[in-house]
């Protein structure tokens, strides 16, 4: 194993308590572990790489990582979501839900998404995809292939097939209803257990297992109780989306007689193994105390909710009371820098000032907070003995403006694609902004073809099966019927 040394004008180190900034700093690692962070390393080094005016820092941890060709962006300014076929109608359910993609296309979407994550400086991911265009949920065989893609690209991932015991659908009168299939949910949990036992720690520890039930409102009590027991048995993290919609809160309160977090507490699913996106709608201080006492972590995804005019009421107040925050992208773009920027600005709008939330709080959530949520003290930091998960962000971009503080410049004006190099487990997976082994133009063309297939599927799920092109309105109206004559896949996005 070679001993590699990295140099840059700025290095984010870790002093055992907090991130600290080294000017003209160095990071030295051998194999998968960091040996030195600071300045003036005097030992032997096989190769020095000087990145010049750049910020070397820990890789970002994304615990609601976009693993999809994102469908949430299709709702942008397209009217009532009930009419556009994102969630299935009663007639679609009666006809029998079906897969939108082939098995190969399902795996491709992860290759595309994982490339995007690496490109944006994310080194550890717990991916999320939509179940709306699936026949039911994810499968063991699918995720065996996904693990291979992650290992090939070199992305550190926490994986497992999503499972659920119910699905939501729209009635003809516009009301929300739910279809349940308990045996199918329990079969999904069995597949998740099998995957965990087969793949946890595989590929040199790069692939870790996780239990990933869909959402609190699509899981029966039995499914969640057995998930809780299996999490204890395997010491496996559990990610469960909750407190993300008023309709969810109302449903849980009606069915279970308590708030979503109160229900999770009864099920013993508020523990240090619990990773909970999104936490927007909580029952006041009682729910916060449940979170804090249980040791569960919230995964904050500010961008996807801001698009719909929703926001966490106070990131800073929750943090001050002891809630551990991680960050997630959830939606396109897979850019945690953008989510940090939105998170900071939204928090200050919601809090009415600058006193409660600092820029560093969001950066900590993307690094140290994510590591804590995973129970990992070897991730999210550059320190001796930590994993060599390292990113390099260029500080040369004109868009960054005059430099006054490298991290603040990146949070104010940076983009994920300012990341020019990435090392995961000591392996260089991206150099000069090029993810190893990935043909960007070919990847983008395949994604474009596949995305049109996704858009066409909205017609099947909508009432009366309207022409799919009528469901998606451009921001500026077309001057002629060009949109109907030229399907999206006929337009080369790279030409």
């Amino acid at each position: 194993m070679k001993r590699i040394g990295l140099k840059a004008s700025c290095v984010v180190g870790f002093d055992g308590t907090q991130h600290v900034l080294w000017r003209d700093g160095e990071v030295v690692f051998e194999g998968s572990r960091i040996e030195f962070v600071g300045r003036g390393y005097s030992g032997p080094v096989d190769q020095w790489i000087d990145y010049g005016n750049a910020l070397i820092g820990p890789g970002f941890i994304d615990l609601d990582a976009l693993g999809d060709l994102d469908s949430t962006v299709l709702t942008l300014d397209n009217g009532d979501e009930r009419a556009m076929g994102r969630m299935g109608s009663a007639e679609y359910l009666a006809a029998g839900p079906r897969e939108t993609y082939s098995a190969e296309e399902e795996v491709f979407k992860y290759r595309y998404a994982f490339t995007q994550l690496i490109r944006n400086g994310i080194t550890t991911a717990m991916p999320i995809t939509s179940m709306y265009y699936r026949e039911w949920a994810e499968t063991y065989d699918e995720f065996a292939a996904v693990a291979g893609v992650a290992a090939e690209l070199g992305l550190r991932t926490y994986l497992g097939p999503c499972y659920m015991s119910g699905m939501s659908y729209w009635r003809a009168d516009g009301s929300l209803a739910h279809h349940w299939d308990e045996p199918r949910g329990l079969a999904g949990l069995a597949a998740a257990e099998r995957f965990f036992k087969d793949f946890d720690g595989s590929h040199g520890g790069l692939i870790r297992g996780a239990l990933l039930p869909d959402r609190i409102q699509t899981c029966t009590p039995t499914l969640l109780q057995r998930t809780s027991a299996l999490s204890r048995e395997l010491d496996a993290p559990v990610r469960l989306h909750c407190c993300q919609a008023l309709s969810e809160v109302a449903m849980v309160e009606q069915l279970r007689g308590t708030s979503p977090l109160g229900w999770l507490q009864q099920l013993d699913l508020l523990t240090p193994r619990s990773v909970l996106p999104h936490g927007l709608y909580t029952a006041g201080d009682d729910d916060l105390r449940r979170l804090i006492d249980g040791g569960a972590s919230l995964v904050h995804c500010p961008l996807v909710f801001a698009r719909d005019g929703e926001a966490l009421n106070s990131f800073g107040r929750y943090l001050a009371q002891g809630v551990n925050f991680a960050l997630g992208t959830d939606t396109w773009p897979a850019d945690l820098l953008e989510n940090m920027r939105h998170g900071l600005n939204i928090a200050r709008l919601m809090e009415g000032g600058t006193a409660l939330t600092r820029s560093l709080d969001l950066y900590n959530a993307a690094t140290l907070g994510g590591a804590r949520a995973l129970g990992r003290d070897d991730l999210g930091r550059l320190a001796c003995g930590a994993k060599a998960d390292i990113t390099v962000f260029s500080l040369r971009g004109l868009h960054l403006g005059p430099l006054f503080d490298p991290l603040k410049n990146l949070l104010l004006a940076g983009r994920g694609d300012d990341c020019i190099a990435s090392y995961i487990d000591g392996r260089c997976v991206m150099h000069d902004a090029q993810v190893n082994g990935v043909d960007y133009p070919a990847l983008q063309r395949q994604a474009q073809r596949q995305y049109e297939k996704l858009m066409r599927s909205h017609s099947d799920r909508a009432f009366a099966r309207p022409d799919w092109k009528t469901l998606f309105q451009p921001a500026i109206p077309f001057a002629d019927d060009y949109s109907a004559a030229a399907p999206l896949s006929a337009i080369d996005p790279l030409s």
Side-chain angles (χ1 to χ4, degrees):
M1 293 185 293
K2 288 186 176 181
R3 182 176 286 117
I4 306 296
L6 310 179
K7 297 181 180 182
S9 59
C10 301
V11 169
V12 177
F14 184 72
D15 68 0
T17 302
Q18 62 183 348
H19 291 308
V20 293
L21 189 65
W22 287 90
R23 289 171 289 185
D24 297 321
E26 301 165 357
V27 179
V28 179
F29 62 93
E30 183 176 11
S32 67
R33 297 287 178 177
I34 294 172
E35 293 188 349
F36 175 84
V37 181
R39 191 186 306 118
Y41 182 74
S42 58
V45 172
D46 295 294
Q47 180 185 11
W48 280 106
I49 303 172
D50 191 342
Y51 287 103
N53 191 18
L55 179 71
I56 297 175
F60 294 148
I61 299 171
D62 185 344
L63 296 188
D64 208 38
L66 178 62
D68 223 335
L69 302 180
D70 188 24
S71 62
T72 64
V73 295
L74 294 175
T75 65
L76 185 66
D77 294 342
N78 273 320
D80 189 344
E81 187 173 338
R82 290 173 295 184
M84 68 172 296
R86 184 159 184 261
M87 185 189 298
S89 66
E91 61 187 22
Y92 172 73
L93 180 64
R98 51 200 170 275
E99 297 287 1
T100 298
Y101 294 147
S102 68
E104 293 76 16
E105 288 170 333
E106 286 291 350
V107 176
F108 169 81
K109 76 183 185 186
Y110 280 97
R111 181 176 297 278
Y112 183 84
F114 289 174
T115 299
Q116 295 276 6
L117 295 173
I118 293 171
R119 184 67 191 87
N120 284 274
I122 292 159
T123 58
T124 297
M126 186 180 281
I128 177 70
T129 68
S130 174
M131 298 299 108
Y132 288 143
Y133 56 88
R134 302 299 304 261
E135 179 187 359
W136 187 253
E138 294 163 338
T139 69
Y140 174 95
D141 289 341
E142 176 185 336
F143 265 75
V146 171
V149 171
E152 176 192 335
L153 294 173
L155 182 66
R156 189 183 301 282
T157 48
Y158 281 73
L159 297 177
C162 173
Y163 54 91
M164 61 193 191
S165 43
M167 62 190 303
S168 302
Y169 65 95
W170 295 114
R171 295 190 183 102
D173 63 5
S175 62
L176 193 64
H178 305 276
H179 165 72
W180 301 104
D181 190 335
E182 179 84 279
R184 205 165 189 177
L186 295 176
L189 176 61
E193 179 180 4
R194 177 186 168 202
F195 180 89
F196 188 98
K197 291 178 177 178
D198 288 350
F199 284 92
D200 184 51
S202 65
H203 297 285
L206 204 63
I207 308 300
R208 298 291 296 272
L211 300 178
L212 306 174
D214 179 40
R215 287 166 291 163
I216 189 173
Q217 71 268 38
T218 61
C219 296
T220 59
T222 297
L223 187 64
L224 291 180
Q225 287 163 354
R226 295 191 184 183
T227 295
S228 176
L230 187 59
S231 172
R232 289 192 301 273
E233 176 188 332
L234 300 177
D235 192 24
V238 177
R239 186 186 62 199
L240 183 61
H241 287 66
C242 66
C243 309
Q244 63 176 325
L246 291 173
S247 58
E248 169 217 312
V249 173
M251 178 187 174
V252 173
E253 288 179 342
Q254 178 186 7
L255 293 177
R256 316 303 175 203
T258 184
S259 69
L261 291 181
W263 179 231
L264 293 184
Q265 184 182 46
Q266 292 178 30
L267 295 166
D268 195 25
L269 279 170
L270 292 183
T271 77
R273 296 182 302 276
S274 302
V275 180
L276 309 176
H278 298 274
L280 266 69
Y281 297 102
T282 58
D285 289 339
D286 287 345
D287 267 355
L288 288 185
R289 181 47 52 192
R290 290 183 174 108
L291 271 176
I292 297 162
D293 290 347
S297 296
L298 286 184
V299 184
H300 187 41
C301 308
L303 176 59
V304 68
F305 285 97
R307 286 187 185 140
D308 288 333
E310 298 176 283
L312 188 70
N313 61 28
S314 179
F315 181 95
R317 184 170 67 85
Y318 287 16
L319 189 67
Q321 291 188 36
V323 173
N324 180 57
F325 277 106
L327 282 191
T329 47
D330 190 281
T331 185
W332 180 85
D335 185 344
L336 274 185
L337 274 181
E338 181 164 355
N339 274 274
M340 290 181 221
R341 179 161 53 249
H342 279 275
L344 178 65
N345 293 339
I346 292 166
R348 290 180 168 184
L349 283 170
M350 298 298 290
E351 294 158 2
T354 63
L356 295 180
T357 303
R358 306 170 301 160
S359 55
L360 181 59
D361 294 332
L362 278 301
Y363 185 78
N364 283 342
T367 53
L368 300 173
R372 181 180 174 188
L374 295 173
R376 300 286 297 264
D377 61 5
D378 59 345
L379 299 179
R381 70 209 71 199
L382 300 186
C384 291
K387 285 290 189 179
D389 289 7
I390 304 165
T391 54
V392 184
F393 280 82
S394 173
L395 298 176
R396 296 189 180 96
L398 184 66
H399 61 280
L400 292 174
L403 292 175
F404 65 98
D405 178 303
L407 185 56
K408 289 180 182 177
N409 276 90
L410 285 171
L411 288 182
L412 287 170
R415 305 186 295 255
D417 63 6
D418 287 319
C419 187
I420 56 173
S422 183
Y423 299 79
I424 303 177
D425 216 40
R427 171 189 171 190
C428 183
V429 301
M430 182 173 71
H431 176 66
D432 286 339
Q434 175 64 52
V435 178
N436 296 345
V438 177
D439 181 339
Y440 286 180
L443 193 78
Q444 188 70 1
R445 278 190 283 268
Q446 172 63 25
Q448 188 70 37
R449 289 190 294 268
Q450 199 163 309
Y451 205 66
E452 183 187 325
K453 193 173 183 180
L454 172 69
M455 295 178 72
R456 287 179 182 273
S457 75
H458 277 243
S459 175
D460 294 333
R461 290 187 296 276
F463 281 103
R465 300 193 63 189
D467 185 331
W468 69 276
K469 289 187 288 294
T470 67
L471 300 174
F472 307 106
Q473 303 302 318
I476 300 174
F478 286 107
D480 53 22
D481 202 26
Y482 180 79
S483 63
L488 294 174
S489 59
I491 305 171
D492 188 341
L494 302 174
S495 63

